[in-house]
Amino acid sequence: MELALFDFDHTVTTCDTYGRFLRRVATPEQLARAWWKVGPWLLAYRLRIISAARIRARVTRLTFSERHADDIATLAAGFAREVLPDVMRPEMLEQIRWHKEQQHTVVIVSGSLDLYLRPWCEQLGLQLICNRLESQDGRLTGRYAGGDCAPRKVEHIRRQFDLSRYLRIHAYGDSYEDRPMLALAHERWYRGRPLK
C-alpha cells in the first residue's frame, strides 16, 4: 500500500481558496470593516510578524461568528461547484489521477474548510483532513472545531493513518506549514519540484 498526501491551496490549486471563500461569504458590512479589522494583521503576516495560523483564526472569527451554519453550507456548496473547477492545476489533477490509478490512498490535507472541500474530494474519491467550523444551536461560533489543523497536519495524519502500513508515502506541498508533512514522505514535492 502507498499513501499520497496533498496540500490543497497553492499546491492543487493556483490560489488561496480559503481567502476567496471568505470574500464570497462575507457580508457587505464585514467587507466594509475588513480593512480596519484585518488590514493591519495582513501587513503583520506579510512582514512575518505573526503566523498564518493567527491570521487565519482572526479572519475566521470575524467572518463566521454568529452566522447561520446552513446559510454558510449552502454558499460553500455553490463555491465548490462554481469556483473550484476554475482554479485547479491540471498537472496536479493528473498526479492525483495517477495515484488513484495505482490504487494508492490519496488524501487532501488542508487548512481550508470541509464545507467546500468535502464535495470536491467525494467527487474524486479522495480522503480529507481539514478544518471544520464549530457551531452551537445552528450558529457558527467563528472558531474551528478541534482547533486549526493546518499547523498540526502531521498529528492529524498520524491519528487517521497507521503510517507503518504503507510501503511508500508521497507528499506534495508549497508552504512552511507543509514541511513537517513532507518530512513524513519517501517522495516529497515542494512547489512542484522533487526534494532530495
Side-chain angles (χ1 to χ4, degrees):
M1 292 198 310
E2 298 193 23
L3 178 67
L5 306 166
F6 286 83
D7 170 58
F8 191 69
D9 287 339
H10 292 288
T11 299
V12 176
T13 70
T14 59
C15 64
D16 172 29
T17 61
Y18 193 43
R20 287 191 180 203
F21 181 64
L22 290 171
R23 287 189 293 277
R24 184 176 175 121
V25 302
T27 66
E29 295 80 15
Q30 288 172 330
L31 290 172
R33 293 192 312 258
W35 173 249
W36 304 108
K37 291 198 168 196
V38 179
W41 283 69
L42 284 173
L43 179 60
Y45 168 69
R46 290 195 176 113
L47 294 173
R48 298 178 189 240
I49 296 170
I50 64 170
S51 67
R54 286 190 68 196
I55 189 72
R56 212 171 20 247
R58 182 167 180 82
V59 296
T60 297
R61 186 172 59 253
L62 291 171
T63 305
F64 296 113
S65 186
E66 293 300 313
R67 303 283 298 274
H68 287 282
D70 289 345
D71 293 344
I72 298 300
T74 299
L75 292 169
F79 183 82
R81 191 173 52 252
E82 299 158 16
V83 176
L84 291 187
D86 294 332
V87 298
M88 294 295 147
R89 292 183 188 273
E91 69 276 15
M92 295 309 291
L93 289 179
E94 187 57 39
Q95 194 65 28
I96 289 170
R97 284 189 198 99
W98 180 84
H99 282 291
K100 290 289 292 174
E101 287 169 2
Q102 306 309 308
Q103 305 295 314
H104 298 167
T105 301
V106 183
V107 188
I108 297 296
V109 186
S110 175
S112 290
L113 293 178
D114 67 330
L115 292 172
Y116 61 85
L117 285 179
R118 188 163 307 286
W120 184 82
C121 285
E122 286 174 353
Q123 184 179 9
L124 295 178
L126 310 179
Q127 296 192 42
L128 177 62
I129 294 171
C130 69
N131 281 321
R132 297 174 296 113
L133 294 175
E134 180 183 78
S135 65
Q136 293 177 352
D137 302 321
R139 286 189 178 265
L140 299 171
T141 65
R143 294 185 300 268
Y144 293 121
D148 185 357
C149 82
R152 299 179 293 122
K153 288 182 175 183
V154 168
E155 176 186 329
H156 286 270
I157 292 165
R158 288 187 185 280
R159 189 180 308 145
Q160 192 163 327
F161 300 97
D162 177 359
L163 299 183
S164 67
R165 297 180 60 220
Y166 294 93
L167 294 174
R168 290 198 77 65
I169 299 172
H170 311 259
Y172 303 80
D174 78 291
S175 71
Y176 179 78
E177 286 182 337
D178 295 325
R179 288 185 179 267
M181 178 177 79
L182 295 173
L184 292 175
H186 302 96
E187 293 187 26
R188 301 178 286 277
W189 294 76
Y190 185 73
R191 297 183 179 175
R193 297 185 177 181
L195 293 177
K196 299 292 184 188

